[in-house]
Amino acid sequence: MSDASVDLAYIAAPASDEALQSDPPKDLYPTGLYPAIEPYNTGHLNVGDGHRVYYEQCGNPTGSPALFLHGGPGGGCGERSRRFFDPDVYRIVCLDQRGCGRSLPNAGGEWEKSIYENNTGKLVEDLEALRKFLEVEKWTVVLGGSWGSTLTLSYAIAYPGSMEDLILRGVFLFSPEEVDHLFQDGSTSSQNPEAWEMYAKYIEDTSHDFEAERTNFLGAYYKRMTGQDETVRRAAASAFVGYELSISKSFVDMKRIKEVLGDISHLIPFALFEVIYMLNAGFMSRGYLLANVNKIVEAGHRVRIVHGRADYVCQPKAAHTLYKALKAEGCKDVTLEFVAGAGHSDSEPGIIDALVRATNELGQK
């Protein structure tokens, strides 16, 4: 995909990077990703409602089962997802959630079919169906980041006996405050004024009544992403995803932004599902996750929480709130690690370091 076909019209210019954070010295953090590996098994699981969920297995076929849950919603898994786990220790399972990645239908080509019965409850049931299909007695570890942390918590609450331990990165609890902070009230402009300005400006420039639409930016983006004009759908998705990716790292990764905006099978699911889930409060009642952490504690799960200190997408206080809630319920083995200088993305070296240390720890018997 050439740069000419990537819509960067509403992407804020990156800050300077004289400290080379986008390409840090390789020895800055002692723990990195494991070497790239290929799956030994892939497939599509028919989960009903017209959806076939892509899954892959990597690493040791007789190892400890580990499940990786991607963010978004709609972000999909990639080859990096496999590399947070020691392939000699773990049987690594990754899947693309309904409507995104290699799952079918993909919102990039069949958005109306992809959103049918696409909600948190259905995704949780898909995870449990996959566990049974793969004949996994219990997941040794479930690792979820960003939206994946939300889904991990939801899965652990619904099926606490289906897993042993949890690793959560970039915690998002789906409170109204978190949703408004990121997509409605302009709170992110405190640290990222240009990015927020462009997020709002796209709606202003394409609106017949901006005073009304500015009261519900998510609704305005949803209207454009689900219209009949494919050019408008893609432009709206580019502005929306470009905004989030612009604030996801401690530096702006223009290469990554161009990759995502240039791939319609990645761009459209990422934008569309995120808007839909945000508009519907994650398809959960208010405060659901915090109100049910006792189920995680009662199951005896060990919990490792990793959060970038400079995370502008998912607020650090969400991680702290979850940690305190687990402790208050009597969780005996929960840790919270704030990573200095790191933002939201699991591609930042400090986040990688913390996550791999966590999988190494929990993989020991």
Side-chain angles (χ1 to χ4, degrees), residues 133-189:
F133 175 76
L134 296 178
E135 299 181 342
V136 171
E137 181 180 355
K138 278 188 177 185
W139 303 109
T140 300
V141 173
V142 180
L143 190 165
S146 192
W147 155 253
S149 75
T150 313
L151 186 56
T152 298
L153 290 168
S154 299
Y155 185 26
I157 289 167
Y159 293 99
S162 293
M163 66 204 67
E164 294 180 3
D165 300 321
L166 313 178
I167 301 174
L168 308 170
R169 186 269 308 169
V171 171
F172 195 76
L173 299 174
F174 250 104
S175 69
E177 178 188 10
E178 290 168 285
V179 175
D180 286 349
H181 163 82
L182 186 53
F183 293 118
Q184 180 53 45
D185 64 18
S187 296
T188 61
S189 66

Side-chain angles (χ1 to χ4, degrees), residues 11-300:
I11 310 303
S16 65
D17 186 26
E18 296 303 316
L20 301 178
Q21 291 193 78
S22 59
D23 187 23
K26 303 305 180 186
D27 59 352
L28 182 60
Y29 294 93
T31 308
L33 294 171
Y34 282 95
I37 54 173
E38 293 298 318
Y40 64 79
N41 170 247
T42 66
H44 285 84
L45 178 64
N46 187 341
V47 293
D49 305 317
H51 290 277
R52 297 170 60 217
V53 172
Y54 171 86
Y55 67 88
E56 63 183 33
Q57 300 189 79
C58 310
N60 183 350
T62 62
S64 299
L67 177 64
F68 180 92
L69 300 181
H70 64 72
C77 287
E79 65 87 21
R80 290 181 67 260
S81 307
R82 316 161 186 160
R83 299 173 60 192
F84 291 98
F85 307 90
D86 185 339
D88 292 330
V89 171
Y90 284 107
R91 175 187 174 189
I92 307 158
V93 178
C94 303
L95 82 156
D96 293 333
Q97 295 154 28
R98 292 188 180 202
C100 71
R102 291 146 292 186
S103 291
L104 302 170
N106 179 286
E110 299 179 285
W111 73 264
E112 290 174 294
K113 291 181 179 179
S114 73
I115 67 174
Y116 179 69
E117 292 292 355
N118 196 323
N119 56 64
T120 304
K122 290 288 186 176
L123 298 190
V124 167
E125 294 305 318
D126 292 350
L127 300 179
E128 186 64 0
L130 181 63
R131 182 188 67 81
K132 293 177 180 178
F133 175 76
L134 296 178
E135 299 181 342
V136 171
E137 181 180 355
K138 278 188 177 185
W139 303 109
T140 300
V141 173
V142 180
L143 190 165
S146 192
W147 155 253
S149 75
T150 313
L151 186 56
T152 298
L153 290 168
S154 299
Y155 185 26
I157 289 167
Y159 293 99
S162 293
M163 66 204 67
E164 294 180 3
D165 300 321
L166 313 178
I167 301 174
L168 308 170
R169 186 269 308 169
V171 171
F172 195 76
L173 299 174
F174 250 104
S175 69
E177 178 188 10
E178 290 168 285
V179 175
D180 286 349
H181 163 82
L182 186 53
F183 293 118
Q184 180 53 45
D185 64 18
S187 296
T188 61
S189 66
S190 296
Q191 290 82 27
N192 297 278
E194 303 98 332
W196 176 261
E197 181 180 43
M198 299 308 285
Y199 169 81
K201 182 173 172 53
Y202 170 75
I203 298 301
E204 182 176 13
D205 288 351
T206 58
S207 180
H208 297 297
D209 187 356
F210 182 61
E211 288 305 308
E213 288 202 302
R214 73 190 301 174
T215 66
N216 183 7
F217 281 117
L218 286 166
Y221 271 101
Y222 176 78
K223 178 180 178 181
R224 289 156 177 77
M225 289 181 198
T226 56
Q228 296 302 310
D229 190 325
E230 182 179 350
T231 301
V232 172
R233 292 202 303 269
R234 183 160 186 167
S238 294
F240 185 86
V241 172
Y243 156 68
E244 183 169 332
L245 292 181
S246 293
I247 67 173
S248 289
K249 295 187 177 184
S250 52
F251 56 91
V252 178
D253 188 343
M254 289 303 299
K255 179 182 178 182
R256 177 60 177 162
I257 291 174
K258 290 178 181 179
E259 286 175 354
V260 175
L261 270 57
D263 180 359
I264 195 168
S265 68
H266 191 173
L267 171 65
I268 300 301
F270 194 170
L272 182 59
F273 294 131
E274 192 153 320
V275 167
I276 290 173
Y277 276 67
M278 295 295 163
L279 281 171
N280 289 279
F283 298 95
M284 295 176 287
S285 60
R286 184 167 180 162
Y288 171 79
L289 298 177
L290 289 176
N292 287 278
V293 295
N294 61 296
K295 296 177 182 177
I296 295 172
V297 176
E298 290 165 3

